[in-house]
Amino acid sequence: MEMQNQKKKSILSGIQPTGVFTLGNYLGAVKNWAPMQDEFDCAYMIADLHAITVRQDPKQFREQILSCYALLLSCGIDPQKSIVFIQSQNPDHAQLGWVLDCYTQFGELSRMTQFKDKSAKHPENINAGLFTYPSLMAADILLYQADLVPVGADQTQHLEITRTIAGRFNGIYGNTFKLPEGYIPKAGAKIMSLAEPTKKMSKSDENPNACILILDDKDKVVKKFKRAVTDSEMEVRYGEGKDGINNLMTIYSAVTGKTMDEITSEFAGKGYGDFKSAVGEAVADHLRPIREEYARLMADKAYLESCYRQGAEQAQRISRRTLSKVMKKIGFIL
Ligand code: ATP
Ligand code: LTN
């Protein structure tokens, strides 16, 4: 009885509108968001403020923000159940982001591997936003007092620093922020590139065969899996030195629900060719309804707009409470 009156735990997560989601974004993060909607109070956002840490073409950027918003809905996120919003439409993020910058240490930010990776990738544009990205991400999470943050394994370090910043602030001003936990899936937390299976699959990879985009049609998906890099053995089993096969098995397991042992027996005596075709077919079948729903939603811009406008209002109703508390505690005049 008492359990029923307890408040649901809250969830916040986000994805950058830097292009169509890859199978990595989907399996590592977005796929897990829809099933959480009944059990938790969820808020999901398009992290457009984060995306400008890398230069974006204005016209393309505007289209991508809308298209990524539609993709979230296509993946089963329901604006009637969850708050689905665009980060820049709630100014509280930028405001708390600045405040938290002042409670984040230079040394802490210097240790972030995402910063090191992205600076190496864009040596001509190592801007201050790229460096302070984690304190904006901390603001995203802390504004909603989120208990859980469902993300892929590459975001672990950003969650750690969020807890550090929250703990530091609470230590100075008294309990203000809830310390969030990561929620990282067992299967699919890190999907690797199909071309170089020691590197993570990423939207911004230049090689089109390296990643599956969730809007790729069946033909493309099957072809890309056929070209996937494997090893010189013949046996479909999970093991050391078999990065390519391990990755394909992880993907197959995540879309079919089969265990690694079940997959090994299914393909015993068959070659890699059969296995790759099966993975391609399974992934393409899994993605088909998403593609269809996306086409339907993109034809109804008025509906999309009503959803994101409502999402921004709902989001700010929650975030404003945290932000006012923070401003008051620091000593600002409200
Ligand atoms: P970019 O290539 O533009 O830096 P990205 O592909 O890494 O972007 P993000 O928008 O930064 O994507 O991440 C969205 C979510 O997808 C995060 O929760 C992240 O952990 C997850 N994610 C990204 N790549 C992978 C991957 N290869 N495997 C599993 N999860 C991933
Ligand atoms: N940094 C994340 C995207 C992101 C995010 C967030 C994820 C921005 N703000 C808040 C979870 C919670 C990434 O995927 N690179």
Side-chain angles (χ1 to χ4, degrees), residues 13-30 33 47 50-51 54 56 114 118 121-122 133 137 149-156 184-185 188-193 199-205 247:
S13 197
I15 184 158
Q16 300 185 68
T18 41
V20 174
F21 307 166
T22 67
L23 191 62
N25 299 135
Y26 178 69
L27 297 180
V30 182
W33 296 357
H50 281 94
V54 172
Q56 303 291 341
Q114 182 170 301
K118 292 213 171 171
K121 218 166 175 183
H122 304 279
Y133 182 114
M137 180 161 160
V149 185
V151 283
D154 62 312
Q155 295 300 310
T156 312
I184 295 169
K190 196 164 185 195
I191 301 297
M192 311 310 272
S193 150
K199 265 179 41 188
K200 85 161 188 174
M201 185 181 280
S202 164
K203 290 189 208 99
S204 39
D205 203 312
N247 192 35

Side-chain angles (χ1 to χ4, degrees), residues 254-325:
V255 294
T256 60
K258 294 179 185 168
T259 65
M260 296 302 173
D261 287 344
E262 284 166 350
I263 300 171
T264 301
S265 359
E266 184 179 346
F267 293 95
K270 297 186 186 152
Y272 285 172
D274 285 349
F275 177 51
K276 285 183 186 180
S277 302
V279 181
E281 297 274 332
V283 169
D285 290 345
H286 188 92
L287 296 180
R288 187 171 35 83
I290 299 178
R291 246 187 317 127
E292 289 170 358
E293 181 61 5
Y294 173 79
R296 199 184 66 76
L297 285 167
M298 285 304 273
D300 193 353
K301 299 274 169 18
Y303 172 70
L304 289 175
E305 178 168 355
S306 70
C307 292
Y308 65 68
R309 297 249 175 259
Q310 170 187 299
E313 266 177 42
Q314 293 171 319
Q316 203 176 12
R317 229 173 282 144
I318 300 178
S319 62
R320 197 179 297 144
R321 274 186 252 144
T322 305
L323 184 62
S324 310
K325 223 198 256 179

Side-chain angles (χ1 to χ4, degrees), residues 126-228:
I126 306 179
N127 59 73
L130 194 62
F131 189 64
T132 60
Y133 182 114
S135 35
L136 180 58
M137 180 161 160
D140 301 337
I141 297 168
L142 300 176
L143 275 174
Y144 299 88
Q145 305 287 351
D147 294 285
L148 294 173
V149 185
V151 283
D154 62 312
Q155 295 300 310
T156 312
Q157 225 186 0
H158 288 162
L159 292 176
E160 287 287 310
I161 196 173
T162 299
R163 293 168 59 88
T164 305
I165 298 168
R168 176 174 297 133
F169 195 94
N170 289 349
I172 304 172
Y173 300 103
N175 204 11
T176 312
F177 296 125
K178 191 175 275 172
L179 264 54
E181 304 280 346
Y183 188 100
I184 295 169
K186 282 190 197 80
K190 196 164 185 195
I191 301 297
M192 311 310 272
S193 150
L194 298 186
E196 284 176 78
T198 48
K199 265 179 41 188
K200 85 161 188 174
M201 185 181 280
S202 164
K203 290 189 208 99
S204 39
D205 203 312
E206 267 112 56
N207 179 352
N209 287 322
C211 74
I212 303 286
L213 302 180
I214 68 166
L215 294 178
D216 282 347
D217 62 24
K218 185 160 191 166
D219 216 36
K220 254 196 202 152
V221 171
V222 170
K223 265 195 198 132
K224 287 184 185 177
F225 276 109
K226 278 205 176 122
R227 294 201 185 113

Side-chain angles (χ1 to χ4, degrees), residues 64-78:
Q64 272 173 13
I65 294 170
L66 189 67
S67 136
C68 286
Y69 189 90
L71 273 179
L72 284 188
L73 305 196
S74 319
C75 291
I77 292 155
D78 179 353

